[in-house]
Amino acid sequence: MFRTIEWTENGVRMIDQTRLPADEVYRTCRDYGEVAEAIRSMVIRGAPAIGVAAAMGVALGVKHSSARTVHELRAEFEIIAETVSKTRPTAVNLFWAVKRMREVFESSLRADADASEAEKIARAKARLVEEAQRILAEDIAVNEAIGRHGAPLLKDSGTILTHCNAGALATGGYGTALGVVRAAVEAGKKIHVFADETRPFLQGARLTAWELARDGIPVTLITDSMAGHFMKQGQVEAVIVGADRIASNGDVANKIGTYTLAVLARENGIPFYVAAPLSTLDMSIRSGDEIPIEERSAAEVTHLAGVPIAPEDVQVRHPAFDVTPHRYVTAIITERGIAREPYTESLKALFSTAASPASPTPRV
Amino acid sequence: MFRTIEWTENGVRMIDQTRLPADEVYRTCRDYGEVAEAIRSMVIRGAPAIGVAAAMGVALGVKHSSARTVHELRAEFEIIAETVSKTRPTAVNLFWAVKRMREVFESSLRADADASEAEKIARAKARLVEEAQRILAEDIAVNEAIGRHGAPLLKDSGTILTHCNAGALATGGYGTALGVVRAAVEAGKKIHVFADETRPFLQGARLTAWELARDGIPVTLITDSMAGHFMKQGQVEAVIVGADRIASNGDVANKIGTYTLAVLARENGIPFYVAAPLSTLDMSIRSGDEIPIEERSAAEVTHLAGVPIAPEDVQVRHPAFDVTPHRYVTAIITERGIAREPYTESLKALFSTAASPASPTPRV
């Protein structure tokens, strides 16, 4: 089995998702700048995986620090944190992970007031490396819990439509939306997946089709605009997607095209599920209107594998995400259970049962 | 200005739409088999353009016949008609054009009972060449009329979203959906077009963006799954698409993805217009359920310009069209005027005012 991301002695090792499915190659980021660049260029992507990468990037940056004083180390931490935070604006897991690393950093510095500066620095470095690895391990466990909660929502056999990649590649492992699919398959259900190719970056064609095929889960690739047709024809039992950020009212930011699927699902009486860890929840915002939507480059739309597919100099828009209003969302599947309308209440209840303010994602 | 298709002494000349926008090259089909292959491989596409090509293919085939008797010529006509008819199943204009050519063929043979076999054959050949050219000229005039009827539906300024290419390239010239845009622009309206790229064949990215840019009409390219996002944001005034076949109840078969746009438009209170000549109307069927939907090759989904974009051997579905139920269609814009619900009545009324049973498309 492939590993989406892992901590190694040499740095942060990740499967290069820009090279899949043609080549299964791994890249080791040897400093935090390389981790930030890997996030920016989508070598690693998917909100939970971005969170793990951000944590590992921070750990790597601090580990390599040559600061001699706590004051110097704090200043360096801020530079590292800012560099990592500025890579992508929409997935809140990135900011969640950096915040969690900052809290661990500060608490490790405070832990033993009598320690020397050198001892404090050494301990902070060790604690951050430990915490980043814990975030990875937790993420996998969280996804397995999402799968356990979500699988009973699916019938014993049927076709699930998914968009983008909310699978093992989008997370530490197992996946959110595809975690639900995997758990259902493990429970003996006969699941077939329609994978939207997900233009422009083709995460569905390149990643979802690849990882499901590797697991022997039947998958059929379609273009994004075919989803509605198959829903109308009664060939889709449920839609399950991941999320990049969920507002406290249940509005969901996810890969561009998700809103369209939600509208089509409701029009056709098909349940529309969002599977995401609580770390994707942004309780600080009241609605999806407050979620920043990343606009990516025109070249990702106009070129494919270096081949131009549109006239030169054509005007392009490229919002990488959209917001699905909560009224279209049948349920949000989290590691703590399932939230339904009214989300303002159900999400708050799930969120406040989480382990600690420092780590909203519970250790499951 | 480019010519989508024209009759020449050497054969049927058409712009090769598989090579656009990179190369503007023309291909001359020297026999009807080459015309059929050009339709099948989408060198020429778009329902009205397919109709014109089919008519010219039939004319070319009969012109080249070495039949010595009317009996032999009739047998050859049937082979030619069948070859041309079997290229693509959904666009009804193909069958409409072949039927019209057959009627002209038969009436020319009947015209002068005293003529010799050789004279009859010569006249049939001449009449078919003439008729094919008339179909082309009529198609352009029809599109201009569609534009005149449709332009008043648009505000003085605004953004029109379109899908696939229902432009000059999809017709003899001027276009259906883009004919409405052109007429609005000619009337002084400030129109900006969002062109869906239209996977898998990318007619929007390759053709619509190209032909609008050539006309100086502002166009912004988006992927198919962005359309809903911009509609929700209030950035789309109206959706206008073409059609490959319209059932007598107003159900519309058009490029895959059209149904999705219609649902999104209604959800967002945006008018959804279909612009098509009456030759696209199939009065012989009661609903869209009876329209055959072409399933094209997996390779068009899994490869782009020869580059694989999905795992090898992945399962693929590729319906090239979908059916939009009439309840989502705000109006159908034809050369005879605008039809609205109830379509069963409004389309029948428009259809029965058409010139003659032999040529449902009126000479405008």
Side-chain angles (χ1 to χ4, degrees), chain A residues 204-216:
Chain A
R206 298 192 301 103
L207 309 178
T208 296
W210 181 81
E211 75 164 84
L212 288 178
R214 276 181 70 123
D215 269 12

Side-chain angles (χ1 to χ4, degrees), chain A residues 300-345:
Chain A
E300 287 178 359
V301 173
T302 56
H303 287 67
L304 214 123
V307 182
I309 56 173
E312 248 182 278
D313 304 326
V314 67
Q315 188 80 19
V316 171
R317 285 294 307 275
H318 181 189
F321 304 92
D322 60 26
V323 172
T324 299
H326 61 86
R327 67 176 180 280
Y328 296 102
V329 180
T330 309
I332 298 175
I333 307 164
T334 77
E335 69 273 31
R336 289 257 161 211
I338 291 169
R340 294 182 188 267
E341 290 277 18
Y343 288 106
T344 309
E345 289 168 30

Side-chain angles (χ1 to χ4, degrees), chain B residues 24-356:
Chain B
E24 184 178 337
V25 294
Y26 291 80
R27 180 187 291 204
T28 299
C29 299
R30 289 167 195 280
D31 59 48
Y32 75 90
E34 285 183 20
V35 174
E37 184 50 33
I39 297 172
R40 196 178 297 115
S41 63
M42 294 168 73
V43 165
I44 189 160
R45 30 62 53 200
I50 289 173
V52 174
M56 290 189 174
V58 168
L60 192 62
V62 171
K63 181 188 165 195
H64 289 166
S65 168
S66 49
R68 301 257 180 98
T69 67
V70 166
H71 181 75
E72 274 175 37
L73 189 65
R74 276 208 172 93
E76 268 194 61
F77 184 96
E78 290 311 320
I79 292 167
I80 296 162
E82 189 172 339
T83 304
V84 169
S85 297
K86 280 195 167 165
T87 49
R88 299 195 69 193
T90 304
V92 77
N93 313 61
L94 173 60
F95 310 102
W96 167 86
V98 170
K99 180 166 175 267
R100 181 163 156 180
M101 294 298 276
R102 178 180 282 112
E103 285 163 351
V104 166
F105 178 65
E106 287 301 334
S107 82
S108 76
L109 290 177
R110 279 193 308 266
D112 183 355
D114 298 333
S116 70
E117 294 264 305
E119 283 168 343
K120 284 180 178 173
I121 290 170
R123 188 169 51 223
K125 289 181 175 183
R127 279 287 292 114
L128 288 181
V129 169
E130 204 181 286
E131 189 68 9
Q133 290 175 283
R134 180 174 296 133
I135 287 177
L136 170 58
E138 276 179 22
D139 186 63
I140 297 170
V142 157
N143 291 332
E144 289 167 350
I146 288 172
R148 281 195 300 276
H149 288 296
L153 296 173
L154 307 187
K155 293 189 185 139
D156 286 347
S157 71
T159 292
I160 302 305
L161 188 136
T162 191
H163 191 63
C164 195
N165 173 267
L169 287 165
T171 60
Y174 203 72
T176 51
L178 297 189
V180 174
V181 168
R182 285 195 167 90
V185 169
E186 286 161 15
K189 302 191 179 192
K190 297 206 183 315
I191 307 290
H192 163 251
V193 176
F194 266 135
D196 276 0
E197 66 174 1
T198 317
R199 280 282 292 151
F201 212 65
L202 296 166
Q203 291 93 335
R206 297 191 302 104
L207 310 178
T208 296
W210 181 81
E211 75 164 83
L212 289 178
R214 276 180 70 122
D215 269 12
I217 297 173
V219 57
T220 299
L221 175 64
I222 59 174
T223 67
D224 304 324
S225 63
M226 292 173 193
H229 172 71
F230 290 116
M231 286 195 220
K232 182 162 72 79
Q233 295 207 324
Q235 295 190 42
V236 175
E237 181 207 327
V239 179
I240 312 182
V241 297
D244 287 79
R245 190 183 304 210
I246 301 174
S248 61
N249 71 341
D251 289 353
V252 175
N254 190 47
K255 181 51 55 194
I256 188 77
T258 301
Y259 162 71
T260 291
L261 295 179
V263 170
L264 288 165
R266 197 172 71 169
E267 189 73 10
N268 288 284
I270 296 167
F272 178 84
Y273 299 120
V274 174
L278 289 172
S279 57
T280 304
L281 207 56
D282 185 348
M283 293 302 281
S284 75
I285 57 173
R286 277 169 304 177
S287 86
D289 295 344
E290 297 173 55
I291 301 175
I293 299 296
E294 178 181 10
E295 183 99 15
R296 290 186 65 87
S297 79
E300 287 177 359
V301 173
T302 57
H303 287 68
L304 215 123
V307 182
I309 57 173
E312 247 181 279
D313 304 327
V314 69
Q315 188 80 20
V316 171
R317 285 294 308 273
H318 181 187
F321 303 92
D322 60 26
V323 173
T324 299
H326 60 87
R327 66 177 181 278
Y328 296 102
V329 180
T330 309
I332 298 174
I333 307 164
T334 77
E335 69 272 31
R336 288 257 160 209
I338 291 169
R340 295 183 188 266
E341 290 277 19
Y343 288 107
T344 309
E345 290 169 30
S346 60
L347 290 176
K348 197 173 174 185
L350 286 179
F351 195 76
S352 49
T353 62
S356 82

